[in-house]
Amino acid sequence: MDVIIIGAGAAGCFAAIEIKRRCPEAAVTVLERGRKALAKVAVTGGGRCNLTNSFANVKSLEQVYPRGHRLMKKLLHHFSHEDTFQWFEDEGVALVTQEDDCVFPRSQDAMQVVTTLLSLMRRLGVTVVTNATVSRVTPATEGYDIISTAGTWHADKVLMTAGGQPKASGFAMLEGLDIEIVPPLPSLFSLCIADKGLTSLMGTVVEKAQVSIAGTKLKGEGALLITHWGISGPAALKLSAAAARVLAEKNYECDGISINWLHGMDSNGITMMLKGYAKLHSHKKLSSIYPEALNARLWRHLLTRAGLSADARWGELQGKGMNRLLNVLLNDTYRMTGKNRFKDEFVTCGGVALGSLRHDTLEAKSHPGLHFAGEVTDVDAVTGGFNLQAAWTMGYVAARAITA
């Protein structure tokens, strides 16, 4: 059996290994348009490779897979995060789970993951061809013909794992195959906010915040990082994933980006805290006493947002001023003026519509033997290792189906 895999990313390389293990006599060739295999894996997680998540605090998969959660619920029964953990540890990659549930190699080096996968492919006899941009996948009498810049191949089975495509033109190789493509859009980006008071605080991190779009249920929770262009960190990135299509429709401009700076505390709790400050520190300046979760610079900024003087005394804080401060802490609203790519990572929503695939095999309904896995499908996740988990899981399921 000849198998062609289009794309040497996480899903493609993982699938290649699984196919060869299940069917050693199969000839498996991976075509990669770039110069190196697994280039994206090498930079994910800030170069440390956040390769999965413990899922310990995931109450519903919809929290972490804004698109594709129903499919992922089915597929994770076949290859879960626990299976991923065991798979890599069996290959000598010791893993560690952080307090935020993200799972990294204990070495904190993404290249250990890259090297492990590449070594396994070499040992198993997988052929990797780089600088091979595929222009067409065409059904043949038996199997498929694949035309690329590096040559033409014939395969009995094809697995497309070409990753997220920034433009619909990235799916041109599938033209004529009657496979529905959901228009691709960025889904993991930080938010540009043109507020000099906020951006002057660049480098400030609030560990537990929530970012939302006013008037919607779209939100992201976690650490929030203030940058020189706006906000980033898990809270902002999770919102960008959940609201990818909504923000695209707004051309990445939105008046209602709301920040809850003390996420985890309700209004009653915050009110009691502020009243406690006023009672215990009545003669001290507002600028000198503030919640532990915030730093002095951010606190001064929030006082200004509430229309309060940093030099005023806590004992002077009355009802209206108290309410304005409470509102700023819970619902500090800014205007989003654009998006900014998150580091060297690029994640998209959109791709091959899940309705075009058989969910048990990830095979195209209209083309037996043509499978899809990973971000090339309309499945994407929030930050935290969930996108790579989808790649491992979908690669595994596709490999199992190809060798069945």
Side-chain angles (χ1 to χ4, degrees):
M1 177 173 64
D2 292 322
V3 180
I4 293 292
I5 298 177
I6 302 172
C13 291
F14 197 79
I17 292 166
E18 285 298 315
I19 290 170
K20 288 294 287 184
R21 282 178 166 173
R22 290 167 174 270
C23 186
E25 68 274 17
V28 180
T29 301
V30 182
L31 305 180
E32 167 56 41
R33 67 185 173 212
R35 294 181 299 166
K36 294 181 179 180
L38 296 166
K40 191 171 176 180
V41 173
V43 300
T44 189
R48 297 186 298 135
C49 191
N50 180 189
L51 50 74
T52 187
N53 191 282
S54 75
F55 285 72
N57 290 301
V58 177
K59 297 177 183 178
S60 166
L61 286 183
E62 195 171 4
Q63 286 178 246
V64 294
Y65 292 104
R67 285 153 292 273
H69 63 278
R70 290 185 180 87
L71 173 63
M72 288 306 302
K73 184 176 182 179
K74 294 178 181 178
L75 300 185
L76 284 166
H77 285 299
H78 301 293
F79 195 84
S80 68
H81 63 284
E82 294 170 336
D83 294 320
T84 297
F85 203 106
Q86 190 64 55
W87 194 97
F88 279 98
E89 290 224 316
D90 286 347
E91 296 303 331
V93 182
L95 303 179
V96 59
T97 303
Q98 298 184 162
E99 289 185 7
D100 61 1
D101 299 325
C102 294
V103 178
F104 289 86
R106 187 167 294 164
S107 65
Q108 300 291 295
D109 184 3
M111 289 309 299
Q112 184 184 13
V113 176
V114 171
T115 300
T116 297
L117 294 172
L118 292 179
S119 296
L120 279 170
M121 287 197 294
R122 280 194 299 270
R123 191 187 319 153
L124 292 168
V126 175
T127 300
V128 179
V129 181
T130 56
N131 296 310
T133 301
V134 174
S135 59
R136 187 72 63 190
V137 176
T138 306
T141 304
E142 292 185 3
Y144 296 86
D145 292 325
I146 298 94
I147 301 171
S148 81
T149 53
T152 301
W153 280 264
H154 177 80
D156 300 299
K157 302 286 182 72
V158 175
L159 172 59
M160 185 172 174
T161 60
Q165 304 296 319
K167 297 181 180 179
S169 58
F171 296 93
M173 71 182 79
L174 300 176
E175 285 182 8
L177 294 181
D178 191 30
I179 293 174
E180 182 186 354
I181 303 297
V182 179
L185 292 169
S187 71
L188 187 63
F189 48 85
S190 55
L191 313 185
C192 297
I193 293 176
D195 183 291
K196 293 183 179 178
L198 182 71
T199 56
S200 68
L201 304 173
M202 59 177 290
T204 296
V205 176
V206 177
E207 292 296 336
K208 293 183 179 181
Q210 182 183 83
V211 187
S212 59
I213 298 178
T216 76
K217 294 182 179 180
L218 300 168
K219 60 187 178 181
E221 303 169 354
L224 182 67
L225 169 66
I226 300 175
T227 69
H228 66 274
W229 64 81
I231 55 175
S232 187
L237 296 170
K238 288 177 181 178
L239 175 65
S240 77
R245 295 207 174 276
V246 170
L247 291 174
E249 289 170 2
K250 295 176 178 290
N251 198 29
Y252 304 102
E253 295 185 359
C254 179
D255 289 325
I257 300 298
S258 174
I259 303 175
N260 179 343
W261 295 103
L262 296 177
H263 182 55
M265 295 184 68
D266 60 19
S267 60
N268 289 334
I270 296 174
T271 298
M272 292 298 293
M273 177 183 68
L274 297 178
K275 287 182 176 179
Y277 292 163
K279 182 177 180 179
L280 295 173
H281 308 287
S282 60
H283 298 297
K284 293 187 177 181
K285 293 181 179 180
L286 293 181
S287 60
S288 65
I289 303 295
Y290 49 86
E292 291 182 1
L294 312 177
N295 64 27
R297 293 169 63 222
L298 175 56
W299 180 244
R300 280 179 171 269
H301 169 70
L302 297 179
L303 290 175
T304 300
R305 298 278 291 174
L308 299 172
S309 169
D311 292 328
R313 307 291 170 174
W314 271 103
E316 300 169 3
L317 191 61
Q318 301 300 318
K320 289 185 178 179
M322 182 81 73
N323 287 337
R324 291 199 306 272
L325 182 55
L326 174 66
N327 186 62
V328 166
L329 289 169
L330 287 172
N331 184 31
D332 192 16
T333 304
Y334 296 87
R335 174 174 172 74
M336 176 182 176
T337 57
K339 62 178 174 61
N340 202 21
R341 184 168 168 173
F342 178 56
K343 298 183 179 179
D344 294 319
E345 299 180 43
F346 188 81
V347 176
T348 61
C349 64
V352 175
L354 301 186
S356 296
L357 305 178
R358 299 184 186 280
H359 289 189
D360 56 339
T361 62
L362 300 178
E363 183 178 35
K365 291 178 179 178
S366 56
H367 297 284
L370 177 59
H371 300 253
F372 296 85
E375 202 185 330
V376 73
T377 66
D378 189 22
V379 174
D380 65 284
V382 301
T383 185
F386 301 105
N387 279 299
L388 273 180
Q389 181 58 54
W392 313 131
T393 296
M394 297 177 83
Y396 176 90
V397 170
R400 187 183 63 174
I402 287 170
T403 56

